[in-house]
């Protein structure tokens, strides 16, 4: 048997082997935690975006489409982000396990803490409207992403389902020239049964949403005209204060007795979160 | 020299960082346990085990600054030895195996595996069961050796293998089950 200790010490001296500097281990150790932090931040961003996507939707739409809110909610839920959160939790779990002392933590505890951090940080990001900004940046940069999520614009861009929205270009008699958010021109036909919400001001430049019927050839027979933001029922909430279209005036105020009502509060390109919206 | 031998592992580590000779004292403390551990899990001849152990000591020396005082030094050293052996087996597919465990060591595993009293075992039976144990995958064989031959507690096995307690318990339980199944398949029923 060789003299192991002397041989080892001899090798250490001969090959000038020295302990590796501590900073290398610290970089590796804190690097692992930093990667974990980034992973959790990604999950928090997903929570904030989910909150934004759900909060900016118009939940009156299912009633116009004769669907239950629950079923409609399932159809528009941003599953892509939920999947990402799932992946983040799994990655965080194994990330913690790979840290120096990660094997010591109970699996349930790791998962609970990871979910807790993601949710709390996600709420903080949602409160700062990070979700809206992030979502809109993604829509701008990756058009394919815009098709994967439901926005208020896409909700109100379904003429085949009787939902249309856009900017008024011109008002002529009982007809409105409207450009939808995809840039398509529509001739919106109004009749005596058309309901106009009190706060709607029908004049060029205003953004409105419409419930009616697609008659083909870019003609839309409208039954209800509402402002882009909300239901447009004014201070009274959901009363019957709307106007039935009956004349040929070029500008129709929803409530002529209250000029303030003609102001539309929401920009067409801004959701409830205040961020840029798109498809 | 006796004063130096009375130093704790932590103190010796700090001194070793400045003076490699002090590392000799640490090696003296752990060469026996680590040699037997590597021999038991690799089942290699003594010379090969010595070569592996020398490489393990060099690694321990290089990683001295990584040592976390929250761990027992022995657990940390066993962990480095375990990782080195795993790496070794990755590199060397074909290896010469010997009957590396002593009879009393086999008996400890057999006792744990089939839950019998030592005094009712006989040498013929031990010989038959040895073959079954040697056929176990290394991760099961290693955890059985750590638990029943090295007599490490769960916390230490966790630190050595860097696995959660549940995984360690599962490995031990499955190792024992696999051993019992192999014995049943081979009609070993000599107790």
């Amino acid at each position: 048997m060789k003299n192991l200790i002397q041989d080892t010490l001899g090798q250490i001296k001969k090959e000038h082997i020295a302990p590796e500097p501590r900073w290398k281990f610290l970089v590796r150790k804190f690097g692992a935690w930093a990667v974990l932090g980034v992973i959790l931040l990604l999950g928090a961003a997903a929570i904030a975006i989910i909150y934004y996507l759900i909060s900016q939707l118009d939940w009156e739409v299912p009633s116009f489409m004769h669907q239950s809110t629950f079923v409609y909610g399932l159809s528009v839920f941003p599953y892509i982000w939920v999947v990402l959160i799932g992946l983040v939790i799994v990655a965080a779990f194994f990330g913690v396990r790979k840290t120096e002392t990660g094997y010591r933590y109970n699996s349930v505890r790791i998962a609970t803490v990871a979910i807790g951090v993601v949710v709390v940080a996600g709420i903080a990001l949602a409160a700062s409207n990070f979700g809206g900004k992030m979502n809109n940046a993604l829509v701008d940069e990756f058009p394919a992403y815009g098709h994967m999520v439901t926005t208020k614009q896409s909700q109100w861009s379904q003429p085949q389902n009787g939902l249309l929205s856009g900017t008024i270009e011109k008002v002529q008699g009982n007809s409105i020239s409207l450009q939808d958010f995809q840039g398509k021109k529509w001739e919106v036909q109004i009749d005596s049964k058309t309901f106009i919400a009190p706060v709607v001001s029908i004049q060029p430049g205003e953004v409105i949403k419409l419930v009616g019927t697609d008659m083909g050839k870019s003609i839309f027979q409208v039954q209800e005209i509402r402002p882009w933001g909300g239901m447009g029922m004014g201070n009274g909430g959901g009363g019957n204060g709307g106007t039935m279209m009956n004349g040929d005036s070029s500008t129709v105020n929803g409530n002529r007795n209250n000029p303030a009502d003609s102001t539309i509060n929401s920009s067409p390109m801004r959701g409830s979160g205040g961020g840029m919206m798109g498809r | 020299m006796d004063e130096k031998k009375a130093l704790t592992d932590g103190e010796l580590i700090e001194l070793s960082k400045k003076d490699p000779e002090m590392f000799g004292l640490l090696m003296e403390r752990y060469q026996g346990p680590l040699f037997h551990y590597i021999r038991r899990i690799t089942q290699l001849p003594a010379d090969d085990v010595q070569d592996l152990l020398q490489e393990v000591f060099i690694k321990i020396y290089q990683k001295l600054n990584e040592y976390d005082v929250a761990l027992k030094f022995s657990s940390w050293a066993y962990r480095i030895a375990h990782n080195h052996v795993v790496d070794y087996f990755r590199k060397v597919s074909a290896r010469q195996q010997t009957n590396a465990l002593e009879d009393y060591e086999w008996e400890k595993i057999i006792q744990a595996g089939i839950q019998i009293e030592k005094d009712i075992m006989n040498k013929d039976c031990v010989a038959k069961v040895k073959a079954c144990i040697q056929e176990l995958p290394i991760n099961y064989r290693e955890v059985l050796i750590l638990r029943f031959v090295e007599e490490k507690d769960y916390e230490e096995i966790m630190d050595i293998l860097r696995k959660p307690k549940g995984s360690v318990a599962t490995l031990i339980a499955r190792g024992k089950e696999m051993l019992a199944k192999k014995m049943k398949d081979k009609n070993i029923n000599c107790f």
Side-chain angles (χ1 to χ4, degrees):
Chain A
M1 287 255 289
K2 62 183 183 180
N3 188 329
L4 183 77
I5 295 173
Q6 286 311 313
D7 286 356
T8 308
L9 287 176
Q11 189 183 348
I12 287 172
K13 286 173 189 168
K14 189 180 163 194
E15 297 177 16
H16 304 290
I17 297 168
E20 286 182 33
R22 187 160 177 76
W23 66 262
K24 277 191 182 177
F25 301 116
L26 293 178
V27 165
R28 229 175 285 155
K29 184 177 172 180
F30 290 113
W33 283 105
V35 169
L36 193 62
V38 170
I39 289 170
L40 292 174
L41 202 61
L42 194 64
I47 294 264
I49 291 173
I50 288 174
Y51 170 77
Y52 169 75
L53 287 171
I54 291 174
S55 64
Q56 53 92 41
L57 290 178
D58 195 335
W59 290 99
E60 297 292 337
V61 165
S63 64
F64 295 130
M65 294 172 72
H66 309 292
Q67 272 190 8
S68 79
T69 305
F70 178 73
V71 172
Y72 183 76
L74 289 178
S75 70
V76 298
F77 197 76
Y79 295 104
I80 181 175
W81 290 108
V82 176
V83 170
L84 184 79
I85 290 172
L87 292 175
V88 159
I89 300 298
V90 172
F93 180 85
F94 287 107
V96 171
R97 276 275 189 261
K98 287 286 172 195
T99 59
E100 194 60 25
T101 51
Y103 62 92
R104 287 184 157 266
Y105 306 126
N106 174 284
S107 303
V108 176
R109 193 175 161 195
I110 294 176
T112 307
V113 171
I115 292 168
V117 169
V118 165
V119 169
V120 170
I123 290 170
L125 289 179
S128 63
N129 192 35
F130 176 83
K133 289 173 187 164
M134 187 73 188
N135 181 71
N136 296 325
L138 286 170
V139 169
D140 291 343
E141 294 296 322
F142 306 103
Y145 167 74
H147 294 289
M148 293 164 79
V149 292
T150 305
T151 61
K152 187 177 172 183
Q153 273 190 30
S154 62
Q155 282 184 300
W156 286 96
S157 299
Q158 304 178 69
Q160 72 282 6
N161 290 324
L163 304 172
L164 182 65
S165 56
T167 309
I168 298 172
E169 291 199 313
K170 199 165 62 176
V171 182
Q172 255 187 339
N174 285 349
S175 168
I176 296 172
S177 293
L178 184 106
Q179 185 176 27
D180 69 18
F181 294 126
Q182 288 72 48
K184 186 181 174 183
K185 310 267 187 189
W186 290 85
E187 183 190 329
V188 176
Q189 293 183 338
I190 304 171
D191 62 24
S192 59
K193 291 176 184 170
T194 301
F195 170 83
I196 303 172
V199 302
V200 172
S201 172
I202 299 187
Q203 56 187 356
E206 292 299 331
V207 179
I208 53 174
K209 58 192 185 196
L210 313 166
V211 179
T213 309
D214 183 359
M215 309 299 285
K217 296 181 180 174
S218 301
I219 296 170
F220 195 82
Q221 183 66 47
V222 66
Q223 288 154 18
E224 291 184 28
I225 301 178
R226 295 188 182 272
W228 177 252
M231 294 298 281
M233 300 311 291
N235 294 335
N240 294 317
T243 302
M244 292 301 180
M245 180 67 187
N246 58 4
D248 56 358
S249 59
S250 59
T251 300
V252 180
N253 282 330
N255 185 341
R256 292 165 200 271
N257 295 327
N258 185 0
D261 280 350
S262 64
T263 304
I264 298 173
N265 294 324
S266 297
S267 160
M269 303 306 283
R270 301 275 163 186
S272 56
M276 182 80 175
M277 286 175 53
R279 290 197 63 172
Chain B
M1 198 63 185
D2 283 344
E3 273 178 31
K4 285 176 182 169
K5 283 189 175 175
L7 293 171
T8 64
D9 289 346
E11 288 166 336
L12 275 179
I13 288 168
E14 288 308 311
L15 291 171
S16 300
K17 289 176 190 174
K18 296 162 196 159
D19 178 10
E21 289 293 335
M22 301 305 290
F23 188 60
L25 291 177
L26 263 181
M27 285 194 281
E28 205 176 307
R29 276 184 198 176
Y30 288 98
Q31 72 165 335
L34 287 176
F35 176 87
H36 291 299
Y37 171 58
I38 293 171
R39 178 179 59 85
R40 285 161 185 159
I41 60 173
T42 60
Q43 301 179 47
L44 289 170
D47 284 349
D48 291 347
V49 173
Q50 286 236 330
D51 289 343
L52 277 177
L53 183 55
Q54 187 167 337
E55 290 163 10
V56 167
F57 276 135
I58 296 288
K59 273 195 177 174
I60 290 174
Y61 183 69
Q62 286 176 316
K63 289 171 179 275
L64 281 180
N65 279 315
E66 194 180 356
Y67 172 63
D68 179 358
V69 289
L71 282 181
K72 280 171 77 174
F73 178 78
S74 65
S75 299
W76 186 68
Y78 269 69
R79 179 194 292 177
I80 291 173
H82 159 81
N83 291 338
H84 192 72
V85 166
V86 170
D87 287 345
Y88 170 79
F89 281 141
R90 273 198 201 117
K91 285 177 201 159
V92 185
S93 50
R95 64 184 196 277
Q96 183 192 351
Q97 281 199 359
T98 62
N99 197 359
L101 265 63
E102 303 295 338
D103 277 358
Y104 79 93
E105 293 170 340
W106 289 114
E107 282 171 17
K108 284 182 176 181
I109 296 177
I110 296 163
Q111 272 182 283
I114 53 182
Q115 294 165 338
I116 58 164
E117 294 301 322
K118 193 177 178 179
D119 55 8
I120 61 168
M121 284 201 300
N122 62 61
K123 289 217 172 207
D124 289 343
C125 191
V126 169
K128 286 178 185 172
V129 178
K130 272 180 189 176
C132 296
I133 296 172
Q134 280 176 313
E135 285 172 15
L136 291 178
I138 186 168
N139 52 336
Y140 294 108
R141 197 171 65 227
E142 181 181 18
V143 83
L144 291 180
I145 287 169
L146 281 169
R147 182 77 186 104
F148 301 112
V149 181
E150 301 280 338
E151 295 178 348
K152 301 280 185 193
D153 62 30
Y154 274 56
E155 295 286 319
E156 286 176 293
I157 298 174
M158 279 168 66
D159 290 336
I160 293 166
L161 302 179
R162 288 193 72 190
K163 286 186 188 296
K165 203 170 197 170
S167 301
V168 170
T170 303
L171 278 171
I172 291 172
R174 284 200 190 143
K176 287 161 75 171
E177 275 173 28
M178 286 169 78
L179 177 60
K181 188 174 182 301
K182 276 186 186 296
M183 289 172 62
K184 194 180 171 190
D185 290 347
K186 292 187 178 183
N187 286 324
I188 300 172
N189 189 16
C190 51
F191 303 108

